[in-house]
Amino acid sequence: MKVLIVMAWLFIVPINSYAQKINVMKTDKTEETAIKNVIEQLYFKGIYEGNTELLKEIFHKDALLFGDIKGVPYYKTAAQYIEGVGSRVSPEKSGKDFKPTIISIDVINTIATAKLNVKMYDFNYYNFITFHKIDGKWLIVNKTLTDVEP
């Protein structure tokens, strides 16, 4: 009788009732579209036009940029980067080709990454950009970049 009760109890009580709960990561297509829009309307447009106000809208004030250009290490704060964009001749004014491409966007909850290819001047940049949704806005919190031969 005791064996039957124990066996019945084992079948009634779910085995995984004490298992750790794991949060499921969410990828939201609406947020992916929002990030695509800020990349195109603020980041790409800001770089192309040399529009520092657009870039200030998308970069978190404490964002950092790391990478290499033509094999030379590169490091700047967001403020230094934006100042540099504002002081150079923009691709728009130079008349040179500007071909930006979004390769991929991955979103999980309030963080996201984007892989971009930006061909401008004589450079073929690959950017890996990290976003964080802060106060309802997607902001760049980190940018890594490298220049590769076309």
Side-chain angles (χ1 to χ4, degrees):
M1 179 71 170
K2 286 182 182 179
V3 172
L4 289 175
I5 292 172
V6 170
M7 289 188 66
W9 181 78
L10 286 174
F11 287 109
I12 294 170
V13 176
I15 293 173
N16 66 350
S17 66
Y18 300 105
Q20 177 181 349
K21 298 230 179 213
I22 298 174
N23 291 332
V24 176
M25 295 182 287
K26 298 177 192 173
T27 298
D28 186 337
K29 289 293 181 187
T30 303
E31 297 297 349
E32 189 176 310
T33 300
I35 292 167
K36 180 179 182 279
N37 289 337
V38 297
I39 290 170
E40 292 174 346
Q41 298 303 314
L42 300 176
Y43 183 68
F44 286 161
K45 189 173 180 181
I47 293 169
Y48 177 68
E49 296 174 357
N51 187 330
T52 58
E53 293 307 311
L54 292 178
L55 294 173
K56 287 176 187 175
E57 281 186 52
I58 194 171
F59 274 91
H60 185 277
K61 65 179 181 64
D62 295 323
L64 297 175
L65 294 80
F66 293 92
D68 60 79
I69 299 172
K70 304 277 185 210
V72 177
Y74 179 94
Y75 163 79
K76 291 192 179 190
T77 64
Q80 291 169 326
Y81 170 73
I82 293 168
E83 181 182 321
V85 170
S87 65
R88 71 178 182 211
V89 175
S90 70
E92 178 183 43
K93 289 182 180 163
S94 74
K96 294 199 175 201
D97 286 342
F98 179 76
K99 296 178 184 171
T101 306
I102 298 172
I103 297 169
S104 65
I105 298 173
D106 294 310
V107 183
I108 301 173
N109 298 326
T110 62
I111 62 167
T113 60
K115 181 179 179 182
L116 312 174
N117 179 230
V118 180
K119 295 177 182 176
M120 58 187 242
Y121 305 116
D122 296 325
F123 297 97
N124 181 25
Y125 293 113
Y126 281 87
N127 298 175
F128 295 90
I129 298 183
T130 305
F131 290 87
H132 189 171
K133 192 171 189 180
I134 301 172
D135 297 328
K137 287 180 64 176
W138 286 103
L139 298 175
I140 295 173
V141 294
N142 185 58
K143 174 181 168 181
T144 55
L145 66 141
T146 192
D147 173 51
V148 299
E149 292 297 319

